Amino acid sequence: MTSADDHAHCAPDDRQTVQPHKDALLRRLRRVEGQVRGVAGMVEGDRYCIDILTQISAIRSALDAVALQLLEDHTRGCVRHALQSGDGERAIEELLHVVGRFSR
């Protein structure tokens, strides 16, 4: 587990926030939450498997969109700040590590 000190390059200041698209991300995540509840209802209701799988695919796509927005925000904010402040190598390693999680 990492500490707050490990992410000092991502600390907000007067010019930026850590989550500049927070409201949009929360709306998307609430929509995903509703979709997941809907899939649970479909399973409970013994709906056709292909219909359930289609909804799961839509949920995965929605989560991927959230992840991509977070990745973009992180790169444009935290990573840029780290590069400018001389802490770029650590931020790049962290970024590559997290991007690797999505290729599995």
Side-chain angles (χ1 to χ4, degrees):
M1 188 154 165
T2 58
S3 70
D5 291 338
D6 293 333
H7 304 289
H9 60 271
C10 205
D13 59 22
D14 291 337
R15 293 169 285 133
Q16 76 177 33
T17 61
V18 174
Q19 299 300 330
H21 296 99
K22 183 187 294 187
D23 292 338
L25 291 170
L26 289 171
R27 279 193 302 276
R28 285 182 177 186
L29 289 169
R30 287 184 189 112
R31 193 173 316 126
V32 167
E33 183 180 23
Q35 288 175 297
V36 170
R37 280 194 304 270
V39 167
M42 292 173 78
V43 170
E44 285 177 5
D46 291 322
R47 294 279 303 271
Y48 184 52
C49 295
I50 298 302
D51 292 341
I52 297 170
L53 290 167
T54 299
Q55 290 304 308
I56 290 171
S57 177
I59 292 166
R60 290 179 71 168
S61 293
L63 284 174
D64 285 346
V66 169
L68 285 172
Q69 183 64 63
L70 286 167
L71 183 60
E72 180 180 341
D73 292 344
H74 179 70
T75 303
R76 292 184 188 278
C78 299
V79 175
R80 176 183 286 150
H81 182 264
L83 289 168
Q84 292 170 343
S85 67
D87 195 23
E89 194 59 38
R90 182 169 60 164
I92 290 170
E93 289 300 318
E94 180 183 58
L95 180 64
L96 292 173
H97 176 76
V98 76
V99 167
R101 292 182 194 170
F102 288 94
S103 64
R104 293 183 191 144

